[in-house]
Amino acid sequence: MTQHERRFGKVISQTIHFLGESPQLLTATLPHELSHVLLPHLFGAQARIPLWLDEGIATNEEPVFKQHFYARTAREALADETLFPLAALCDMTSYPVEDRTGTFYAQCNSLVSYIYQKLGRPRAFELFRAMTLASMDVAL
């Protein structure tokens, strides 16, 4: 988990909490959490990063085996008809209940992956930065 402390619209401290004995610490946990640390600096002090975007970018920084896991989880949720509606996903400001977090992370990952594929990372980040400063409708 990464926590940001803000004052007057600026990030003044960031803390990453993790279990040191985690088997995926170096391969998945740190890349994911470092993404959370860097995004406020990449998007600017006034940026408000939507939860789906923050987790979607962070999960996309994880290794290939995790990408396969997220894709499988999303396919299973699609088959089970348990996906979050896109509007609901994009409006979320807090994490879903524990038994829905896997689907949440998988959908965030899938959405950001799709945008990366369609726009490429540089143009995707231009879109993401615009979305953090205005509404998604304005950014699009």
Side-chain angles (χ1 to χ4, degrees):
M1 177 176 75
T2 301
Q3 294 176 309
H4 305 278
E5 182 180 350
R6 291 178 180 263
R7 287 200 188 131
F8 307 111
K10 293 187 179 186
V11 175
I12 61 165
S13 74
Q14 297 168 295
T15 307
I16 298 175
H17 301 272
F18 59 87
L19 296 173
E21 65 271 5
S22 170
Q24 297 177 7
L25 176 65
L26 295 177
T27 58
T29 303
L30 282 179
H32 179 111
E33 296 304 330
L34 286 172
S35 174
H36 290 307
V37 168
L38 294 173
L39 286 179
H41 302 286
L42 292 173
F43 291 145
Q46 301 305 316
R48 293 289 176 235
I49 304 168
L51 188 57
W52 71 267
L53 181 59
D54 196 20
E55 292 301 347
I57 292 172
T59 57
N60 268 273
E61 294 307 316
E62 296 176 22
V64 172
F65 75 91
K66 291 287 283 199
Q67 302 307 312
H68 293 303
F69 170 77
Y70 291 126
R72 184 176 67 248
T73 302
R75 284 192 306 273
E76 290 169 358
L78 178 62
D80 296 343
E81 298 182 356
T82 58
L83 290 173
F84 293 95
L86 183 58
L89 181 75
C90 292
D91 286 342
M92 292 176 81
T93 58
S94 61
Y95 292 89
V97 294
E98 189 173 335
D99 67 337
R100 301 278 286 140
T101 56
T103 300
F104 169 76
Y105 279 100
Q107 276 189 259
C108 295
N109 177 273
S110 179
L111 183 53
V112 169
S113 293
Y114 177 79
I115 294 168
Y116 282 161
Q117 289 170 1
K118 291 297 177 184
L119 299 180
R121 284 189 181 228
R123 287 188 57 218
F125 264 81
E126 289 175 24
L127 173 65
F128 297 156
R129 179 175 288 129
M131 287 171 37
T132 67
L133 297 173
S135 71
M136 187 184 301
D137 292 340
V138 170
L140 289 171

